[in-house]
Amino acid sequence: MNMQHFQLLSFNPFPKFPRIFGKSSIGFNVLFLILVAAILCLSAKNVIAVCQTPQFALPVALTVNRPVAVAPGDYNGDGNVDLAILRNLQGGSFPGVVEVFLNTGNGNFNSTGIQYNAISNSGGQIFVTDLAAADFNNDGKLDLVAVGNFLSSGVLLGNGSGGFGAPTNLTFPNSPGSVAVGDFNNDNKIDIITKTFGADVQILPGLGTGIFGSAVVIPTGQGGSTIAVRDFNNDNFLDFAVANSSSTAQSVSVRLGNGSFIFTSPPTIDIARVWDLTANDFNRDGKQDFATVNRNNDDVSVLIGTGNGTFNSPVGSPFTVSDFPEQITSADLNSDNFPDIANGNPVPTNLLSILLNNCKG
């Protein structure tokens, strides 16, 4: 309700019934003020509050055979965030498959029971490693990109009802270890960005049709193979963060973009044994944060962004998860307006841990 509307109602709300409360207008005014207060109170429930200290409940586990990566998204168009899970199978021409778990609307998920080949090329000892979702052909339906070793990769176009077509191959200079998506040059076409197992990042410019241009290679100078994409310094250009998990470096590097595939390099953030990371606004303050998973300590660390590319650790972090966590992603999984965390624990538990953000400290 805007102020102009409020003033008009206060001046003469019901001109046809001037004496409905008797000779005095006091009763009417009191009732009217109570009504307005009730409306404002109900409206306030829809306002998303800032969560100063994001906290997460104990994980809810889904039994998934050999989960490798998770890509959240509304794959069937019902307004709920579903989970596409990349699974690494043993043997066969297509060792990697995608299985979709549809959200029932309350944070629970049911598998569609269908497996989709994740990559298009076969041969060699192929292992799929990561998965990401976006609308690559601008048809309003979420698609998937899966990557793996030996230059194996695939784009799976979605049908809007939770299903996907056969994968088409992508061409990279080096084998990607992880994958993310975003519009890095602000042309309204989704690009694909990957981190290799070596010391560089590769971006495939999207053409808006499900086809991609030649790769742009960006040296990172560190080991590791994990990447997350966000605007970390609020300049309307996408940035990326990479996890460095080599024997000589355990940290996260944030690289700030300028909208033309060129990235600066602010200081790195020391976090022990980063295995994977995800980015989101966990405390809903309009500044992007990120979370990392530590396989050795069986926990998840949350770093809160300041809005200029630097980060602080909140009270309570890190948060304990199931044994040997390897992958992590984030999305609002229970429709409470706070981003939650999901991470895969493929060995030995075969679990997907879900950390619900209760934001209560």
Side-chain angles (χ1 to χ4, degrees), residues 243-277:
N244 308 311
S245 56
S246 68
S247 59
T248 59
Q250 292 87 42
S251 62
V252 172
S253 297
V254 178
R255 305 289 296 271
L256 305 179
N258 68 353
S260 59
F261 301 124
I262 298 176
F263 297 85
T264 62
S265 181
T268 60
I269 303 163
D270 292 331
I271 303 176
R273 299 302 299 167
V274 177
W275 196 270
D276 195 8
L277 81 161

Side-chain angles (χ1 to χ4, degrees), residues 156-353:
L156 293 74
L157 298 181
N159 61 14
S161 60
F164 295 88
T168 57
N169 188 47
L170 295 174
T171 301
F172 291 103
N174 300 299
S175 290
S178 63
V179 64
V181 293
D183 182 6
F184 290 96
N185 57 345
N186 290 354
D187 64 351
N188 296 317
K189 300 171 184 176
I190 300 298
D191 313 310
I192 293 176
I193 184 170
T194 70
K195 177 67 173 69
T196 69
F197 290 101
D200 56 45
V201 162
Q202 306 168 125
I203 299 180
L204 296 183
L207 304 182
T209 60
I211 301 175
F212 298 84
S214 299
V216 177
V217 179
I218 304 164
T220 58
Q222 297 284 354
S225 61
T226 300
I227 190 167
V229 172
R230 284 294 189 278
D231 179 7
F232 290 114
N233 60 343
N234 292 338
D235 64 352
N236 296 318
F237 297 124
L238 281 183
D239 316 308
F240 67 82
V242 292
N244 308 311
S245 56
S246 68
S247 59
T248 59
Q250 292 87 42
S251 62
V252 172
S253 297
V254 178
R255 305 289 296 271
L256 305 179
N258 68 353
S260 59
F261 301 124
I262 298 176
F263 297 85
T264 62
S265 181
T268 60
I269 303 163
D270 292 331
I271 303 176
R273 299 302 299 167
V274 177
W275 196 270
D276 195 8
L277 81 161
T278 183
N280 217 314
D281 184 3
F282 292 111
N283 61 345
R284 300 310 300 265
D285 65 350
K287 303 169 185 176
Q288 292 298 318
D289 319 308
F290 68 84
T292 66
V293 66
N294 185 327
R295 190 172 189 269
N296 289 3
N297 292 345
D298 301 334
D299 59 33
V300 168
S301 296
V302 176
L303 279 296
I304 302 301
T306 63
N308 61 4
T310 61
F311 302 84
N312 298 315
S313 180
V315 176
S317 179
F319 304 96
T320 301
V321 294
S322 298
D323 294 343
F324 301 110
E326 291 188 2
Q327 299 82 26
I328 189 171
T329 190
S330 57
D332 181 9
L333 300 178
N334 59 347
S335 301
D336 65 352
N337 293 319
F338 293 114
D340 310 304
I341 289 175
N343 75 276
N345 311 82
V347 178
T349 57
N350 282 328
L351 294 177
L352 183 74
S353 297

